[in-house]
Amino acid sequence: MSDTPQDRADALLQEALQATGSRDPREFYRSQLKELRAADPTAYEKAVDHYRGTLIPTIVDGAEPLSAWTEYGRTLAELRAPGRTVTIDPTGRAVAYQAPAPGDALVLHLPTEKRLKALVVGLPTELSAAQRATYDWLVAGKLRLPEAG
C-alpha cells in the first residue's frame, strides 16, 4: 500500500470491491458532487470536508469500506435534500435504512420535499424486477411499467 491515507483508503475499497463483486460507488458519487457544487457551493464544501475529514480516516482506521462509502452517499443525499433513507430488498419491501445495508439492497434517500425525486445512495450488483420498478418510479420518474417483450 502507498503512504497517503487517500491511497490506503482507495486500496482498501478496491480489495472490498473485488472480494464482494459490488459496484464501485465513486463514479456515481462524483457526479453527485458535481451536481451539488453547481446547486449549493456551501453544501459542496461540507461534502468535501466530510470526505477528507471523515470518510478517508474512517476507512484507514478499519471501517468496512463499502459501508463507509454508503454512509458518505447518505451524507451527499442529505446535503442535497433533507429526508430519510430506506433500503429496498429484492422483493420490493422497503424498510428504514440501517448500516450496513445488505449487498442485495437498493438504498434510496427519499427527500422530505415531495416534488423531488428519490436519490440513489447504493445499488446492488443487479436490480431485481421489484427494485427496477421502484427505481424507475421513484428515481427516474417513469409512471408506466415497460412493455412486456
Side-chain angles (χ1 to χ4, degrees), residues 5 17 22 49 51 80 86-87 114 116 121 132-133 135 137 149:
L17 292 170
S22 297
D49 289 346
Y51 174 84
R80 288 189 62 204
V86 298
T87 58
K114 300 299 181 203
L116 299 176
V121 173
R132 168 59 63 196
Y135 178 94
W137 180 41

Side-chain angles (χ1 to χ4, degrees), residues 39-70:
D40 187 344
T42 301
Y44 170 79
E45 287 303 321
K46 288 179 184 178
V48 171
D49 289 346
H50 185 87
Y51 174 84
R52 291 180 183 146
T54 302
L55 175 64
I56 297 303
T58 297
I59 293 172
V60 170
D61 288 344
E64 198 286 313
L66 294 171
S67 293
W69 273 96
T70 299

Side-chain angles (χ1 to χ4, degrees), residues 90-147:
T91 69
R93 182 173 177 257
V95 297
Y97 172 82
Q98 290 186 337
D104 63 352
L106 169 62
V107 182
L108 298 178
H109 181 76
L110 306 174
T112 304
E113 192 172 325
K114 300 299 181 203
R115 69 177 178 80
L116 299 176
K117 293 179 183 174
L119 301 169
V120 175
V121 173
L123 290 169
T125 304
E126 284 191 44
L127 292 171
S128 69
Q131 289 168 328
R132 168 59 63 196
T134 302
Y135 178 94
D136 287 348
W137 180 41
L138 295 176
V139 178
K142 295 180 183 176
L143 301 178
R144 296 176 60 179
L145 292 173
E147 298 294 324

Side-chain angles (χ1 to χ4, degrees), residues 2-62:
S2 183
D3 293 293
T4 71
Q6 172 73 53
D7 290 339
R8 287 194 301 270
D10 286 346
L12 291 166
L13 175 61
Q14 203 56 40
E15 289 173 15
L17 292 170
Q18 289 175 346
T20 63
S22 297
R23 294 179 190 226
D24 188 337
R26 293 175 293 187
E27 184 174 328
F28 175 72
Y29 292 151
R30 279 186 203 110
S31 79
Q32 294 281 351
L33 277 168
K34 286 178 187 177
E35 291 177 24
L36 189 60
R37 180 176 46 201
D40 187 344
T42 301
Y44 170 79
E45 287 303 321
K46 288 179 184 178
V48 171
D49 289 346
H50 185 87
Y51 174 84
R52 291 180 183 146
T54 302
L55 175 64
I56 297 303
T58 297
I59 293 172
V60 170
D61 288 344

